[in-house]
Amino acid sequence: MEISQRHEGARGTISPSGSLVAHSSNSKLRPATLLSHSSIRTAAKEVSTLKWSSDSANIAIVSNKLVEVQAVEGHAHPTRIENGSGSLGRFVGADFVGRHHLLTSWEFGRAKIWDLSTGKGTDLGDLKTTCDEPAWQQRPESTGDIRTVALLTRLAAEDTLTMHFPELSTSMQPLKLPTVDAKSMSWSPDGRWLAVLDTATASPSVYFYTPDAHQYRSYPSAANLEGDGCLGVKAINWSADSRVVALSRYDGTVVLLNTITFTPLAVIKHTTTVEQSNLPPHQQTPIWREAVSASNERSYALASQPVSPPLSRTKPTIEPVELGVAEASFSSNGSYLATRDERMLSTVWIWNVATLAAHAVVMQHSNVRKAQWHPTRASLVILDCGEGIAYLYDVATSSAPLAVNAPLPGSPTLSWVHTAAESKLAILAAARSSFWILYPEGAESVSDDARAGVEVGGELFEEGASEDSLLDILSGRKPALPYEIEESYTKMVELEMGEADEGADVAFDDTFREKKKADTDAVDPLDDSQIF
């Protein structure tokens, strides 16, 4: 195994292509190839989120008062969306919609979608702020279709669903949802279905909609409402081929639905005791148990049955207890499903979706933080137990999991780097202020030119340095490239205000709507954010 050099910086994020990793450090954005390290200056301070575009060509840097879009390659100037006086609260999220649009949201629920080629912003209204996930979900891209963004809002104690089309700068009429308090929504990978998850106490718990916001099915159906007072669905997970959707429940079961009629295929249950003695040996599910020696060497052995996975809590406490399924995720081809139960967090169950039966059980020495499937090797899963050890398990073989020990300080979070199936494995190990790249099979051999890295971000922009306003460039008041250094837009406004102060008294507008009625039709006075 090989380990890259330590990179200092927070929020290490892998690009969708898997060829770049970005992180922030000392007001700098540092995009780098997996074998090199380069940086560009950014004006954003206290960066909260880094968001890649789907083509890995741009990255959005989100901070409380600024969202900055940087091109990774070339000499394009950064596009900056400022928060103005902050009357809408701080920026809390941003997401690329295609190549030329960016959606931003504020902490009080307001959202806008910006056309990065024209600088025009379209108000999307008030998004729901009590969701478990972002209140917008972009429909997966498909050839020939207009891009669609589903928006979840709540007005007058009622949930509403809106389909917005950025290229057309228009939206469908908002649809009132039958939900009590919608918690999340998700598109199927093929973009044919949108699932809306209601609060756990509601029944039905899940509603399925077509892309034109037509309600198709609900679960459980009206003819089979539960009505027993139990908590319902906790999370929704789609298979990569969109043929199956898994509903994780608070009672510890996982319901598999087909995506044609949305009727149950199977109900998965996690038992506290595994007993297969009555089955022939070749039909028994292998149960791998990790053992740790006094010298900290780790190995696996098949557990004899019956066997009881260790419980997460052995003594009663006053702390609230999590219920139901802790995690459920499909492999990249939808053939396998990995699940964990909140009662047995150190045990990972692997299910065969074709046979609807248990394929394997892995009992770790420590609780598992995350089980993540490789994006291209469909049968390979990594188990992260917060120990700096990558547990690799190829479920298609009869071999035991492999513990790849990385001598890294702390307990970095492990995640796959997107690589081709024929390429060697790469794992991102990200700590709070640094990260490494692990190569369990050794690093790929590359040429000297590739090791030199790629040019990123164009010129370095020092903090406080001026930059061209995108709107001024498009209107012809400033040249695009090459350009001359001029005062920034904000500085020019300050100079104009200073000149006005010398000759006459200036009446400052209040931010309330009734103070200056002449401008209310032109701009929302509560929204003074600008794009540059």
Side-chain angles (χ1 to χ4, degrees):
M1 185 182 76
E2 296 184 32
I3 304 177
S4 71
Q5 65 176 346
R6 173 175 174 155
H7 297 277
E8 298 293 337
R11 286 165 291 278
T13 307
I14 293 289
S15 67
S17 65
S19 60
L20 297 170
V21 58
H23 61 101
S24 60
S25 177
N26 298 326
S27 297
K28 289 183 180 180
L29 173 69
R30 299 182 181 272
T33 65
L34 296 182
L35 294 174
S36 69
H37 194 66
S38 303
S39 66
I40 54 178
R41 176 73 69 175
T42 174
K45 295 182 178 180
E46 298 180 357
V47 176
S48 59
T49 306
L50 298 176
K51 187 70 176 182
W52 286 96
S53 61
S54 58
D55 59 1
S56 302
N58 298 284
I59 189 169
I61 310 151
V62 183
S63 61
N64 291 347
K65 299 181 180 180
L66 178 70
V67 176
E68 185 173 347
V69 178
Q70 291 271 11
V72 177
E73 297 185 32
H75 297 274
H77 291 282
T79 300
R80 294 173 181 172
I81 302 172
E82 295 183 352
N83 199 17
S85 62
S87 58
L88 301 178
R90 59 187 176 86
F91 282 117
V92 294
D95 197 5
F96 287 95
V97 181
R99 294 176 57 90
H100 305 294
H101 292 84
L102 183 76
L103 189 153
T104 60
S105 64
W106 287 263
E107 64 177 323
F108 298 146
R110 294 294 295 275
K112 262 191 175 183
I113 192 164
W114 305 87
D115 189 329
L116 298 177
S117 60
T118 64
K120 180 181 178 181
T122 302
D123 195 349
L124 300 180
D126 297 319
L127 299 182
K128 190 170 183 179
T129 58
T130 57
C131 295
D132 296 335
E133 298 177 3
W136 71 85
Q137 294 294 329
Q138 183 179 175
R139 186 186 181 191
E141 298 180 15
S142 55
T143 304
D145 289 346
I146 298 175
R147 299 184 189 278
T148 305
V149 179
L151 307 170
L152 190 61
T153 61
R154 188 172 180 86
L155 300 173
E158 294 180 343
D159 293 328
T160 58
L161 176 66
T162 304
M163 299 293 184
H164 182 77
F165 310 100
E167 288 96 342
L168 304 179
S169 298
T170 186
S171 301
M172 293 180 59
Q173 189 70 19
L175 172 70
K176 177 184 174 181
L177 295 176
T179 54
V180 177
D181 185 11
K183 292 302 181 184
S184 66
M185 59 182 175
S186 61
W187 287 98
S188 61
D190 60 4
R192 295 182 58 193
W193 306 106
L194 176 68
V196 178
L197 176 62
D198 202 354
T199 183
T201 57
S203 187
S205 298
V206 184
Y207 296 87
F208 297 97
Y209 290 85
T210 59
D212 59 355
H214 172 72
Q215 183 181 334
Y216 180 70
R217 289 286 190 274
S218 62
Y219 180 86
S221 62
N224 189 27
L225 291 179
E226 296 162 358
D228 55 2
C230 295
L231 295 177
V233 178
K234 186 176 182 179
I236 301 174
N237 293 276
W238 298 89
S239 64
D241 55 9
S242 300
R243 299 178 61 183
V244 179
V245 59
L247 307 181
S248 305
R249 294 173 52 88
Y250 280 94
D251 62 2
T253 63
V254 179
V255 181
L256 301 182
L257 307 179
N258 72 72
T259 56
I260 299 177
T261 61
F262 291 98
T263 54
L265 293 171
V267 177
I268 294 174
K269 296 183 179 180
H270 302 95
T271 60
T272 55
T273 301
V274 181
E275 172 59 80
Q276 304 178 97
S277 302
N278 58 338
L279 296 177
H282 66 279
Q283 294 183 6
Q284 294 183 8
T285 300
I287 302 174
W288 296 103
R289 173 183 281 169
E290 183 189 16
V292 182
S293 66
S295 59
N296 204 31
E297 293 183 0
R298 300 171 185 270
S299 61
Y300 286 88
L302 289 173
S304 58
Q305 301 185 36
V307 60
S308 297
L311 298 178
S312 302
R313 293 192 179 188
T314 58
K315 296 181 181 180
T317 66
I318 60 175
E319 304 235 345
V321 179
E322 290 289 341
L323 302 174
V325 178
E327 181 182 13
S329 60
F330 284 97
S331 61
S332 60
N333 63 357
S335 298
Y336 300 98
L337 175 68
T339 63
R340 288 189 300 122
D341 191 287
E342 291 284 1
R343 300 169 298 171
M344 302 166 284
L345 292 177
S346 63
T347 302
V348 178
W349 305 69
I350 307 295
W351 308 88
N352 190 315
V353 178
T355 62
L356 300 177
H359 181 78
V361 179
V362 180
M363 295 188 298
Q364 294 293 117
H365 183 266
S366 302
N367 287 348
V368 178
R369 288 198 303 196
K370 184 74 174 178
Q372 183 182 5
W373 294 95
H374 193 275
T376 55
R377 297 192 191 182
S379 62
L380 186 61
V381 63
I382 183 174
L383 308 181
D384 180 10
C385 298
E387 302 169 320
I389 301 175
Y391 295 93
L392 307 182
Y393 182 36
D394 190 339
V395 301
T397 68
S398 57
S399 302
L402 175 65
V404 180
N405 198 340
L408 303 177
S411 56
T413 301
L414 306 179
S415 58
W416 289 115
V417 174
H418 191 289
T419 56
E422 63 275 7
S423 301
K424 294 183 178 180
L425 301 176
I427 300 171
L428 172 67
R432 182 180 297 272
S433 59
S434 58
F435 71 92
W436 301 260
I437 304 296
L438 312 181
Y439 302 96
E441 302 171 336
E444 295 278 0
S445 59
V446 295
S447 64
D448 294 337
D449 292 339
R451 290 184 182 275
V454 296
E455 184 178 9
V456 295
E459 300 186 19
L460 299 180
F461 289 87
E462 297 295 333
E463 292 186 50
S466 60
E467 65 277 354
D468 290 326
S469 166
L470 176 59
L471 297 179
D472 287 345
I473 292 176
L474 294 172
S475 62
R477 286 178 288 180
K478 289 185 182 180
L481 283 176
Y483 67 97
E484 296 180 0
I485 299 295
E486 297 186 23
E487 297 290 347
S488 67
Y489 180 79
T490 304
K491 184 65 174 178
M492 288 189 291
V493 170
E494 293 175 350
L495 292 175
E496 291 175 1
M497 294 298 294
E499 293 173 358
D501 287 337
E502 295 177 1
D505 293 335
V506 179
F508 289 92
D509 296 331
D510 201 327
T511 57
F512 294 98
R513 297 179 181 272
E514 298 299 326
K515 289 295 183 180
K516 190 176 181 182
K517 295 184 177 180
D519 292 338
T520 54
D521 294 334
V523 64
D524 184 350
L526 290 178
D527 181 11
D528 53 359
S529 59
Q530 301 183 52
I531 185 171
F532 299 98

